[in-house]
Amino acid sequence: MKITFKGDYALKAVLDLAMYYDKPQSVDEISKRQDIPYKFLEQILLQLKKGRFVKSLRGRNGGYVLAHKPAQITLGQIVRFVDGPVEPISCAFAAKPSPCNYSGNCVLREVFCDIGKMIAEKVDNITFENLKERQKKNIAKTKKYLDYSI
Amino acid sequence: MKITFKGDYALKAVLDLAMYYDKPQSVDEISKRQDIPYKFLEQILLQLKKGRFVKSLRGRNGGYVLAHKPAQITLGQIVRFVDGPVEPISCAFAAKPSPCNYSGNCVLREVFCDIGKMIAEKVDNITFENLKERQKKNIAKTKKYLDYSI
DNA sequence: TTAATATCCTACTAACTATATCGGAATAAT
DNA sequence: ATTATTCCGATATAGTTAGTAGGATATTAA
């Protein structure tokens, strides 16, 4: 798994939409809040729309909303959709891995398959509802800290 | 963590040298056994030499040997040396991660740091001695299977 | 001494990917 | 009509990946 800027932006955008669930957010708003280049974000959201993760409302007062409840979208879904398989090497997710020597019993492949499963286990069990809640707590903590320090 | 062809080749080369520990193996031999392009492998072994993972013997009958015992070289060392950090995103291993919104308490970063630790835990605890033993078992199994089927 | 067999070193390249930017068309609300 | 928005395709540029090419240097066996 390698998360690119694009993948990172996609995750941030989806999390942003989860925080503002069911109220359409424009590309401009998300772009500013999450510090993502406007035109790049535009592309990403169009891609997410094709993947049916978000829905759009065109025209004035338009914007994007999540296509499903935050609890029904997992981190893994978005990562895979934007940045590809979470396995660290292609032979670990290929349907028919190219045969290594020693008749395909490649120990390295076995290890990377294990790691791939570990990663999948993790990312497939984190929903954007989870992330949203954790984000809220972080904000609360930061706020508290600011209250003391000001 | 993303394992490139180069990284995969490096791991295979080191494992090959572990299988033939203390007997120098030429680039040509490793290249043929592991099905790695000769000239590419040459480069990789030179790099591994600079990293002090292998030693070389020049001239006729020369070749490469491991610089340490297989039990003292981990999968993680080679992966990091050739393909870089095992963390899935740069903010997860950067000394000073660029501040996200919400005052740096980025939940996504937290998740990817967790995953990075999981991966590190795994790759840092697999030595080439482990891999060698597993490889040997796989070969034995394959041999047994062939004995039956022929 | 010479030929063969190795490693060593630097440079080059073609294809692909990442990270955007640009310009405008279509749509909807005011 | 104006403004704010999504939609869409093209372009650009830099970096990475996966090699290849050609020769210099070292060692050894005949």
Side-chain angles (χ1 to χ4, degrees), chain A residues 26-27 38 42-43 46 49 56-58 63-64:
Chain A
S26 70
V27 176
Y38 180 90
E42 210 175 39
Q43 275 188 9
L46 279 172
K49 191 190 169 191
S56 68
L57 296 161
R58 298 186 66 167
Y64 286 91

Side-chain angles (χ1 to χ4, degrees), chain B residues 7-50:
Chain B
D8 185 40
Y9 292 161
L11 295 172
K12 281 178 175 158
V14 171
L15 179 54
D16 193 283
L17 292 178
M19 299 288 287
Y20 293 86
Y21 184 62
D22 81 13
K23 194 182 151 200
Q25 302 297 315
S26 71
V27 176
D28 191 56
E29 289 171 305
I30 304 172
S31 157
K32 279 173 182 154
R33 267 198 301 265
Q34 302 295 334
D35 196 26
I36 302 170
Y38 180 90
K39 277 293 195 178
F40 200 9
L41 178 58
E42 209 175 38
Q43 276 189 6
I44 293 166
L45 284 166
L46 280 173
Q47 190 179 335
L48 287 171
K49 191 190 170 190
K50 276 187 192 161

Side-chain angles (χ1 to χ4, degrees), chain A residues 95-108:
Chain A
K96 185 186 157 294
S98 63
C100 290
N101 44 4
Y102 306 118
S103 302
N105 288 326
C106 176
V107 287
L108 293 170

Side-chain angles (χ1 to χ4, degrees), chain A residues 42-96:
Chain A
E42 210 175 39
Q43 275 188 9
I44 293 166
L45 283 166
L46 279 172
Q47 189 180 336
L48 288 171
K49 191 190 169 191
K50 276 188 191 162
R52 316 247 180 193
F53 294 106
V54 303
K55 284 189 285 192
S56 68
L57 296 161
R58 298 186 66 167
R60 197 160 175 168
N61 298 338
Y64 286 91
V65 285
L66 289 187
H68 312 281
K69 288 180 187 161
Q72 291 169 330
I73 308 175
T74 68
L75 192 62
Q77 286 174 332
I78 306 297
V79 168
R80 288 200 187 82
F81 182 69
V82 178
D83 278 336
V86 299
E87 285 79 4
I89 192 168
S90 64
C91 68
F93 63 81
K96 185 186 157 294

